[in-house]
Amino acid sequence: MRIATTIFLTDETITPVRLAHQLEQRGFAGLYLPEHTHIPVSRETLYPAGGELPPEYGRTLDPFVALGQAAAVTERLTLGTGITLIAQHDPIDLAKQIATLDHLSGGRFTLGLGFGWNVEEAADHGVDWRTRRELGRDRMALMRALWSDEPTAYEGEFGSVRASYAHPKPFQRPRGPVVGPRTLIGGAAGPKLFAHIAEYADGWLPIGGRGLTESVPKLRTAWESAGRDPKDLQVVPYAVLPGAGKLAHYADLGIEEVVLQLPPAGEAEVLRTLDAYAEYL
C-alpha cells in the first residue's frame, strides 16, 4: 500500500520544500494539499467536523504554488490537491495551471477535486450553492476540451471555450473518458457523487475513510454500470489517522493508497509525526 500524506501548509508551518525533501527521503509516496482562498469572518456555515474552525483554514498556502516548489526539489514524490475547489476557479486558467504542473513534474500530479462546504467562501466567487456540483462537472468538461490533443470547442451550461491551441498538455495520457491528470473526486457517499466519479474521474477521495465497507460496493456498481473497467477504479482514503488494523481493513477492500494526516505545525513536530508514521511504510 502506498502511504501518502496531507497537511494544511500555511505561513506558519514547515515549508513545502523541507517537507517534500523529507517525504521523498523517508519513502512516503505523495503529498496532497488542501485549498481555501479565504475564510469570511462572518459566516453561517458550520465547520463540518464540529466546534470552532481551526485557524489554519484561513492561512493555507496556494496549493499549486506550493506543489510547484515540491515538484522542483523531488523526483518521485507524487503531488496532489485534496481538494481543489473547482467551482471557485476560472476553468481556462485552472486548466493551464494543472497542465503545467503535470507537465513539469513528469506526470506526478493528482487532481483531487471537490465542491466545498463553506457557502460564504463560494458565494464570494459568484458560486450558486445549489448548482455547484453541476458547475464543477461543466468546468471539468471544459478543461478536458483544452487538454485534448486537437483543438476542441466546448459549449456548456455554465461556460464555453473556442477550439484553441492550449499547451502544455498534461503529461498523463487519456484513459477511457478521463482526459488530463489522475482525477479523484472528494465528497460524501451518494448516488450523485458516484455517478460523477464514474462519468469523468479515476476514483474517489473519501475523507476519513469511514463506512467504506458499505460504500465501496455501491461505487463499484455505479462504475461498472457506466461501462468502466472494474480494475481501473481507485479509492484513496484521505486525511486518515492511521492504525495497523485500519490499514489492513483498507487492504482487504482492495485499496492501494491511503493519505495520512499531518499536523499543521512547524518542522520539528511534523518530522516527529513522520517518524511515528514510519512503521506503516
Side-chain angles (χ1 to χ4, degrees):
M1 181 177 288
R2 299 188 303 277
I3 304 296
T5 61
T6 184
I7 181 174
F8 277 88
L9 284 180
T10 77
D11 54 329
E12 298 179 327
T13 66
I14 187 172
T15 68
V17 168
R18 285 292 296 155
L19 178 57
H21 268 305
Q22 289 294 317
L23 289 172
E24 184 156 278
Q25 289 176 5
R26 293 163 181 256
F28 287 89
L31 171 63
Y32 291 73
L33 297 180
E35 175 183 49
H36 283 285
T37 54
H38 66 300
I39 300 293
V41 173
S42 176
R43 62 184 173 83
E44 297 179 4
T45 308
L46 297 178
Y47 175 42
E52 292 296 318
L53 183 69
E56 59 266 21
Y57 278 75
R59 306 190 75 103
T60 54
L61 301 184
D62 179 278
F64 291 97
V65 175
L67 290 170
Q69 282 199 332
V73 298
T74 57
E75 296 180 352
R76 301 176 304 280
L77 191 73
T78 61
L79 313 156
T81 52
I83 47 78
T84 295
L85 294 164
I86 189 168
Q88 297 180 186
H89 286 269
D90 178 293
I92 299 174
D93 286 341
L94 183 60
K96 175 69 78 172
Q97 288 178 283
I98 289 170
T100 299
L101 181 53
D102 197 49
H103 169 75
L104 292 177
S105 67
R108 289 188 280 149
F109 181 63
T110 292
L111 173 61
L113 67 91
F115 309 103
W117 61 268
N118 191 322
V119 177
E120 290 79 16
E121 177 185 359
D124 284 348
H125 287 277
V127 175
D128 182 339
W129 194 250
R130 298 166 298 176
T131 59
R132 71 193 188 284
R133 291 178 183 272
E134 292 307 318
L135 174 61
R137 176 177 177 267
D138 190 77
R139 288 186 169 169
M140 279 300 302
L142 190 154
M143 292 196 297
R144 288 198 302 273
L146 290 169
W147 293 334
S148 297
D149 287 334
E150 297 298 326
T152 302
Y154 176 75
E155 183 73 38
E157 180 182 358
F158 299 95
S160 63
V161 68
R162 297 171 176 83
S164 303
Y165 300 111
H167 293 269
K169 301 299 182 184
F171 185 93
Q172 299 171 59
R173 301 306 302 154
R175 55 226 171 266
V178 183
V179 177
R182 180 187 188 220
T183 301
L184 303 174
I185 303 180
K192 189 168 188 177
L193 179 76
F194 289 170
H196 282 207
I197 292 170
E199 179 186 353
Y200 61 85
D202 294 295
W204 185 25
L205 198 65
I207 295 177
R210 294 181 180 177
L212 295 184
T213 301
E214 296 77 26
S215 299
V216 169
K218 295 176 182 178
L219 173 57
R220 287 187 174 133
T221 297
W223 183 267
E224 293 175 30
S225 296
R228 304 290 297 273
D229 189 329
K231 68 176 174 37
D232 292 338
L233 175 61
Q234 301 176 46
V235 177
V236 182
Y238 186 79
V240 170
L241 297 177
K246 186 183 293 186
L247 297 187
H249 173 59
Y250 293 158
D252 289 342
L253 292 173
I255 289 169
E256 298 179 347
E257 180 182 2
V258 62
V259 183
L260 305 186
Q261 182 70 59
L262 295 172
E267 183 168 328
E269 184 176 345
V270 170
L271 296 187
R272 284 195 296 271
T273 305
L274 292 180
D275 289 339
Y277 287 172
E279 65 176 293
Y280 304 114
L281 295 175

